[in-house]
Amino acid sequence: MAKNVLLIGVGGVGSIVAYGIDFTGKADISVVVRRDFEKVSKVGYELKSIDYGDIKGWKPKHIYPSVEAAAKDVPVYDFVVITTKNLPDVVKPEELAEPAITPEKTTVVLIQNGFDIGRPFIEKYPNNFCLSGVSHIGSHNNNGVVTQTQHDECLISYFINPNLAIEDQKRKAEEFISIYSNEKNAVTYFPDAKWYRYRKLVYNASLNTVCALTGVDTGRLDLAGTLESVSIPAMREVIKVAKADGVTLPADIINTVVHSDDGDWFEPSMRVDVKKGNPIELEAILGNLLRVAKELNVETPYLQILYNLLKAVQFRLKEGKGMNNLPEKRPISDKVYS
Amino acid sequence: MAKNVLLIGVGGVGSIVAYGIDFTGKADISVVVRRDFEKVSKVGYELKSIDYGDIKGWKPKHIYPSVEAAAKDVPVYDFVVITTKNLPDVVKPEELAEPAITPEKTTVVLIQNGFDIGRPFIEKYPNNFCLSGVSHIGSHNNNGVVTQTQHDECLISYFINPNLAIEDQKRKAEEFISIYSNEKNAVTYFPDAKWYRYRKLVYNASLNTVCALTGVDTGRLDLAGTLESVSIPAMREVIKVAKADGVTLPADIINTVVHSDDGDWFEPSMRVDVKKGNPIELEAILGNLLRVAKELNVETPYLQILYNLLKAVQFRLKEGKGMNNLPEKRPISDKVYS
């Protein structure tokens, strides 16, 4: 029997993942889409895809305007794939997906940025599998028109759930790969989600964050001296936390990461978000890392101050989206500081 | 004989200072103005002044387009008053003013923001007096039309020059007050420039900088938590440097500074500069403070990281003004990082 898959968050990544799953024909794929619901439920998606070619009027099996609606229609989803931006300070993904998650039955697949993002799911659903997907894809969804310019490469693994057997978790990852992997994409098993997400953090916690804060690309960050004075010390802190967490990153990782943007005036994703006025994935990246650093008693002064500064940036971005309602006159505080 | 005074930088502050000196009638006031030279040399300034009322067509004795032109015309200036923004990483004030400064004769008056800003002048002109002016004024100059909304209150003192007698330095400050103070403004002697500039730094190094970096006002900084997590620790570092420098600030200073914007969503000057795309007074505020902290062996981790981050912001602001010429393609560096 075909598996029931629900995908939440049909952006540039999510639409191609959903299409990839539909393409294999091994699962019934439903999606939750809020912003473009009116349009895509009528005319479907248009794909201009480097992997799949030009496709018009593609519709997944069901298109729902909410997770609640999706949950009412299908008693049990075998997989719930979450491809939203990871903004737990705006919407907690584990609460957003809750109506569609059946305890002990639904496997959650997080194809999202961030570090240690499986933790709240495993805490909330201790007997469900929780898979990790790290996607390398260039794809944008503009009101139902998806332009995919870089191949869909996705590394699938699992966030270790201590309540379940490791071999079952591995098997579940392979099962998900079997319904998502096809001859057009490159979906592969990667044995160690934690290692890989630490690996990505070396860039994301140090270059992505600092570019977001200072408003420059990685090339200008280098020329201004801030790469060496702030980002590299921050990278060393990530490596130190990883080590205390039992994860050994490659010896030449700093050099590799710094040179990864060679030849490009490259603007990392958080910088792009700030520019567009969108909230940044601050908690999923730095917030979670700092929580782990604290548990492991690792000092991270650079990362901590970057986090504290970016909290003010996030405050501003959320206000721009109408999420903070401030009175016209600033309230007077009687707090005493010393 | 009337003293020859040259004022460089006729912005909101400079224009009112120049008018105030002209108003006393005790000095011949000349000005250097670049941006508005064409207009003001023809029709003069229009003042809408809370201190002096509405005045049209006011002209100082001479209006020059450059310091060189001013220096050619008058053999010796008794006073050179500098009221430009203090951007030593763009133009060093001591070099800008050089043609008009006669060694051992001209007294330099710095009515500018920043900390320890007398140092380069005393190094370059070891036998000249160097006075400090801290201006509290609300005034804007828009192409020769000056709108002054807050009274001209200016505290005059001297940057201690170890090569000259203290009583002479004090006397020189009083002499300058005598040609600038009138019944409309409030120009007073303040005995300790160093103390006062440390006092201002508690705000400027911690709130002004952090608001510039994060893009929020002081009220939002408080609500986001960044006031307490970053700005207050930075204030404590300023107090520590001051103490090591022999300056004791008031015991309740942090509380006073934090509450100084009570009731206002207040955007400090550096934040306003960033918003307008203007270079910030980073070196005059943080750069100079960090130099002194280093000389005194005081650790200032918060201030140092703020400085390093703001260097990237300054890089961006200068690029916006055409001061950094970058190639279209980012040059590849072969530097090895570890």
Side-chain angles (χ1 to χ4, degrees):
Chain A
M1 205 179 85
K3 297 287 177 185
N4 280 318
V5 180
L6 180 68
L7 183 140
I8 303 173
V10 193
V13 175
S15 53
I16 300 299
V17 174
Y19 191 82
I21 291 171
D22 196 37
F23 191 87
T24 67
K26 294 182 191 162
D28 287 339
I29 177 82
S30 304
V31 303
V32 173
V33 50
R34 278 192 300 187
R35 203 184 41 196
D36 305 327
F37 178 75
E38 287 298 325
K39 183 180 170 193
V40 298
S41 58
K42 272 183 204 146
V43 303
Y45 286 93
E46 181 179 351
L47 270 58
K48 300 172 178 181
S49 164
I50 189 171
D51 286 336
Y52 303 106
D54 286 356
I55 289 148
K56 280 194 180 167
W58 170 65
K59 286 189 185 180
K61 182 158 183 174
H62 300 288
I63 301 174
Y64 299 109
S66 69
V67 180
E68 285 75 10
K72 264 189 202 152
D73 218 23
V74 175
V76 177
Y77 285 102
D78 299 296
F79 293 91
V80 166
V81 182
I82 304 180
T83 45
T84 58
K85 264 186 77 170
N86 202 332
L87 299 168
D89 51 333
V90 176
V91 181
K92 289 188 197 304
E94 70 275 16
E95 291 176 5
L96 170 71
E98 190 171 11
I101 299 177
T102 306
E104 305 191 21
K105 291 195 175 157
T106 305
T107 293
V108 176
V109 186
L110 305 178
I111 304 184
Q112 295 183 293
N113 281 330
F115 174 75
D116 199 28
I117 59 174
R119 183 192 298 223
F121 282 90
I122 293 169
E123 280 173 4
K124 195 172 171 79
Y125 312 104
N127 297 308
N128 290 49
F129 294 99
C130 187
L131 303 182
S132 160
V134 174
S135 177
H136 300 95
I137 194 171
S139 182
H140 292 91
N141 177 352
N142 184 15
N143 191 215
V145 179
V146 179
T147 308
Q148 184 202 354
T149 53
Q150 286 181 302
H151 287 293
D152 181 8
E153 293 181 8
C154 195
L155 298 179
I156 302 293
S157 185
Y158 51 89
F159 295 105
I160 294 172
N161 183 334
N163 312 306
L164 302 170
I166 290 290
E167 57 267 38
D168 291 343
Q169 299 183 58
K170 190 181 171 192
R171 205 174 301 126
K172 193 53 82 172
E174 286 163 349
E175 186 187 333
F176 180 69
I177 292 170
S178 78
I179 61 166
Y180 170 23
S181 170
N182 58 51
E183 70 264 30
K184 306 287 189 182
N185 63 21
V187 179
T188 51
Y189 179 70
F190 189 85
D192 193 341
K194 194 160 105 172
W195 183 94
Y196 201 77
R197 287 182 183 262
Y198 266 118
R199 169 71 186 75
K200 283 194 78 177
L201 264 187
V202 179
Y203 187 100
N204 279 329
S206 67
L207 282 171
N208 209 346
T209 53
V210 176
C211 289
L213 193 52
T214 57
V216 298
D217 55 50
T218 54
R220 287 167 171 85
L221 198 74
D222 184 2
L223 293 174
T226 308
L227 168 71
E228 289 206 47
S229 62
V230 181
S231 292
I232 289 182
M235 288 180 199
R236 293 202 191 101
E237 292 180 356
V238 176
I239 295 166
K240 210 167 56 168
V241 179
K243 197 172 173 191
D245 203 6
V247 171
T248 306
L249 294 169
D252 63 343
I253 188 161
I254 291 180
N255 198 49
T256 311
V257 165
V258 169
H259 286 296
S260 66
D261 297 335
D262 266 359
D264 290 326
W265 303 110
F266 184 76
E267 293 196 317
S269 62
M270 272 182 161
R271 163 66 191 143
V272 174
D273 279 333
V274 171
K275 223 171 165 177
K276 289 185 178 169
N278 291 329
I280 51 179
E281 293 181 312
L282 177 62
E283 294 302 328
I285 292 173
L286 270 186
N288 287 354
L289 174 62
L290 290 170
R291 204 165 301 125
V292 170
K294 200 176 170 193
E295 288 167 5
L296 298 170
N297 282 312
V298 180
E299 302 241 319
T300 52
Y302 282 84
L303 295 170
Q304 185 67 53
I305 196 172
L306 290 173
Y307 174 73
N308 291 334
L309 289 165
L310 284 166
K311 291 266 275 184
V313 174
Q314 183 80 324
F315 188 93
R316 168 165 64 84
L317 295 167
K318 285 163 88 170
E319 187 179 1
K321 294 287 178 191
M323 294 176 196
N324 299 329
N325 273 318
L326 301 186
E328 200 175 316
K329 181 127 183 109
R330 179 181 173 193
I332 290 181
S333 140
D334 53 6
K335 183 156 181 184
V336 178
Y337 297 89
S338 60
Chain B
M1 205 179 87
K3 298 286 177 186
N4 279 319
V5 180
L6 179 68
L7 182 139
I8 303 173
V10 193
V13 175
S15 54
I16 299 299
V17 174
Y19 190 83
I21 291 171
D22 196 37
F23 192 87
T24 68
K26 295 183 193 163
D28 287 340
I29 177 85
S30 303
V31 304
V32 172
V33 51
R34 278 192 300 188
R35 204 184 42 197
D36 305 327
F37 178 76
E38 287 298 324
K39 184 179 171 193
V40 298
S41 58
K42 272 184 204 145
V43 303
Y45 286 93
E46 180 178 352
L47 271 57
K48 301 173 178 181
S49 164
I50 189 171
D51 285 337
Y52 303 106
D54 286 355
I55 289 149
K56 279 192 181 168
W58 171 66
K59 287 189 186 182
K61 180 157 187 178
H62 300 287
I63 301 175
Y64 300 107
S66 68
V67 180
E68 285 76 10
K72 265 188 204 152
D73 218 23
V74 174
V76 177
Y77 285 102
D78 299 296
F79 292 92
V80 166
V81 183
I82 304 181
T83 46
T84 59
K85 264 185 78 170
N86 202 332
L87 299 168
D89 52 332
V90 177
V91 181
K92 290 189 197 304
E94 70 276 17
E95 291 176 6
L96 171 70
E98 189 170 11
I101 298 176
T102 306
E104 305 191 21
K105 292 197 174 157
T106 304
T107 293
V108 176
V109 187
L110 305 178
I111 305 184
Q112 294 183 292
N113 281 329
F115 174 74
D116 199 28
I117 60 175
R119 183 193 299 223
F121 282 91
I122 293 170
E123 280 173 5
K124 196 172 171 78
Y125 312 104
N127 297 306
N128 290 50
F129 294 99
C130 187
L131 304 183
S132 160
V134 174
S135 176
H136 300 94
I137 194 173
S139 181
H140 292 90
N141 178 351
N142 184 15
N143 192 215
V145 179
V146 178
T147 308
Q148 183 203 355
T149 52
Q150 285 179 303
H151 287 293
D152 182 9
E153 293 181 8
C154 194
L155 299 179
I156 301 294
S157 185
Y158 51 91
F159 294 105
I160 295 172
N161 183 336
N163 312 306
L164 302 170
I166 289 292
E167 56 269 37
D168 292 341
Q169 298 183 58
K170 189 181 173 193
R171 206 174 302 128
K172 194 54 80 171
E174 284 163 352
E175 185 187 335
F176 180 69
I177 293 170
S178 78
I179 61 167
Y180 171 23
S181 171
N182 59 49
E183 71 264 29
K184 305 287 187 180
N185 62 21
V187 179
T188 50
Y189 179 70
F190 188 85
D192 193 342
K194 193 160 106 172
W195 184 93
Y196 201 77
R197 288 185 183 259
Y198 266 117
R199 168 71 186 74
K200 282 195 77 177
L201 265 187
V202 179
Y203 188 100
N204 279 330
S206 67
L207 281 170
N208 209 345
T209 53
V210 176
C211 289
L213 193 53
T214 58
V216 297
D217 56 49
T218 54
R220 286 166 172 87
L221 199 74
D222 183 3
L223 292 174
T226 308
L227 168 71
E228 289 206 47
S229 62
V230 181
S231 292
I232 290 182
M235 289 180 200
R236 292 201 191 100
E237 293 181 355
V238 176
I239 295 167
K240 210 167 56 168
V241 179
K243 198 173 172 191
D245 203 6
V247 171
T248 306
L249 294 169
D252 63 343
I253 189 162
I254 291 180
N255 198 49
T256 311
V257 165
V258 169
H259 286 296
S260 66
D261 296 335
D262 266 359
D264 290 324
W265 304 108
F266 183 75
E267 293 196 317
S269 62
M270 273 182 160
R271 164 64 191 142
V272 174
D273 280 332
V274 172
K275 223 171 166 177
K276 288 184 178 170
N278 291 330
I280 51 178
E281 293 182 313
L282 177 61
E283 294 303 328
I285 292 173
L286 269 186
N288 287 353
L289 174 63
L290 289 170
R291 206 164 300 126
V292 169
K294 201 176 167 193
E295 288 166 4
L296 298 169
N297 282 313
V298 180
E299 301 241 318
T300 52
Y302 281 86
L303 296 170
Q304 186 67 54
I305 197 171
L306 290 172
Y307 175 73
N308 291 335
L309 289 165
L310 284 165
K311 291 266 274 184
V313 174
Q314 183 80 324
F315 188 94
R316 169 165 63 85
L317 295 167
K318 285 163 89 170
E319 188 180 0
K321 294 288 178 191
M323 295 176 197
N324 299 329
N325 273 319
L326 302 185
E328 198 174 318
K329 181 128 182 106
R330 179 182 173 194
I332 290 180
S333 139
D334 54 4
K335 182 155 182 186
V336 178
Y337 297 90
S338 60

